[in-house]
Amino acid sequence: EQIAEIDVNSSLATLAKKNDYCKPTISDNAQLLIKNGRHPVIEKIKDSYIANDLVLNDEQQLLLITGANMSGKSSYLRQNALIILLSHIWSFVPAQKAIIPETDRIFCRVGASDNLAEKQSTFMVEMQESANIVNNATNKSFIILDEIGRGTATYDGLSIAWAIIEYLHNKIWAKTLFATHYHELVELTATLKKARNFSVAISENSDQIVFLYKIVPGANIKSYGIEVAKLAGFPKEIINSAYQLLSQLEA
């Protein structure tokens, strides 16, 4: 057991020194501050990783994050959860500065999976995991939610996501990052005083978009899904048809 403890601590120390981690401050107040945070895994497999800040406190409790597909929303959610987790096992963390409040649990609802052996669809699993969060989180919890409500009809999913955000904001008061392509949700910040709109910055010109991977204040109501379909290799006929249909639907 002693050798195992030495092994773990020396490994964490090696990572901290090699990858320029900082020593976090564990605070007993409500403020969460991460300066230039990074994802500890993704930064090791990419040539460069764009660092981002996170500030959550009594005035800014829930961030509603919008932006293009593949722009880095999910990575941002997960890196902050990992930084909080690392700080609670007394590790240094991949950031320039980190003040972390005492956190009782980290709740995560991301990705898509089913449990067909138990007759549970992908959407049912999503709803069960989301229900577990709202039934067990406290005001000392940290929550990341990614694309809640996408597995059912548009208005059903939007209504569920809308109600969950209101409940987390008004009843639980947990620090929450909520990423979504339901652009209607950005209106919530007008009525929820501790909710804020953030988005992932992009640079757009006539024929392409460039992902900047930087989280900035404000909403972005473009998802660029057809551009992603184009990158995936769909025939040009389908892409052109999709653009025409999108123009009609938006009109």
Side-chain angles (χ1 to χ4, degrees):
E1 289 178 356
Q2 290 175 334
I3 292 173
E5 186 172 340
I6 292 170
D7 180 35
V8 169
N9 287 329
S10 64
S11 295
L12 291 176
T14 299
L15 284 173
K17 183 174 178 63
K18 184 177 180 180
N19 300 310
D20 195 25
Y21 288 8
C22 77
K23 181 179 180 180
T25 299
I26 303 297
S27 170
D28 58 1
N29 63 36
Q31 174 163 314
L32 168 65
L33 186 151
I34 297 172
K35 180 71 173 176
N36 286 329
R38 311 177 323 261
H39 192 296
V41 177
I42 297 177
E43 74 168 353
K44 301 303 293 181
I45 59 176
K46 290 180 68 70
D47 293 335
S48 62
Y49 190 81
I50 305 300
N52 276 292
D53 300 343
L54 174 62
V55 177
L56 294 171
N57 49 44
D58 287 336
E59 288 74 40
Q60 182 169 287
Q61 164 195 311
L62 186 150
L63 301 190
L64 193 62
I65 303 170
T66 51
N69 286 290
M70 303 200 316
S71 60
K73 298 188 300 297
S74 297
S75 298
Y76 179 70
L77 266 60
R78 297 180 194 208
Q79 77 181 39
N80 288 298
L82 286 170
I83 288 171
I84 293 171
L85 176 62
L86 286 169
S87 70
H88 278 71
I89 65 168
W90 304 107
S91 171
F92 281 38
V93 299
Q96 182 181 345
K97 179 180 180 180
I99 300 174
I100 310 296
E102 291 185 359
T103 305
D104 58 7
R105 277 169 289 187
I106 297 171
F107 289 97
C108 172
R109 168 56 227 171
V110 298
S113 62
D114 56 40
N115 187 4
L116 298 182
E118 297 296 329
K119 300 181 180 179
Q120 296 172 346
S121 66
T122 300
F123 183 65
M124 182 58 174
V125 171
E126 177 186 326
M127 290 297 97
Q128 287 178 331
E129 292 182 357
S130 301
N132 176 63
I133 292 173
V134 299
N135 287 323
N136 293 288
T138 73
N139 63 348
K140 290 188 175 182
S141 300
F142 182 74
I143 302 172
I144 59 172
L145 295 166
D146 199 358
E147 303 298 347
I148 294 298
R150 300 300 293 185
T152 187
T154 300
Y155 287 124
D156 282 356
L158 174 59
S159 300
I160 292 168
W162 191 296
I164 288 173
I165 291 172
E166 288 186 327
Y167 189 87
L168 291 173
H169 180 278
N170 297 331
K171 300 289 186 179
I172 298 180
W173 312 309
K175 293 178 174 62
T176 303
L177 303 181
F178 193 109
T180 186
H181 286 288
Y182 285 138
H183 301 137
E184 297 86 347
L185 294 175
V186 303
E187 300 173 15
L188 276 166
T189 58
T191 56
L192 302 180
K193 65 178 183 179
K194 296 182 180 181
R196 302 287 186 272
N197 282 317
F198 277 74
S199 61
V200 189
I202 64 165
S203 175
E204 183 178 6
N205 56 40
S206 58
D207 60 347
Q208 67 177 358
I209 58 173
V210 178
F211 299 121
L212 302 180
Y213 303 110
K214 202 68 181 175
I215 304 295
V216 296
N220 183 344
I221 60 172
K222 285 188 176 182
S223 294
Y224 300 96
I226 298 176
E227 283 80 358
V228 174
K230 183 178 180 181
L231 289 172
F234 276 96
K236 188 175 181 180
E237 182 179 353
I238 292 178
I239 299 301
N240 292 338
S241 177
Y243 276 123
Q244 293 175 3
L245 290 166
L246 178 62
S247 297
Q248 295 173 18
L249 291 169
E250 288 181 335

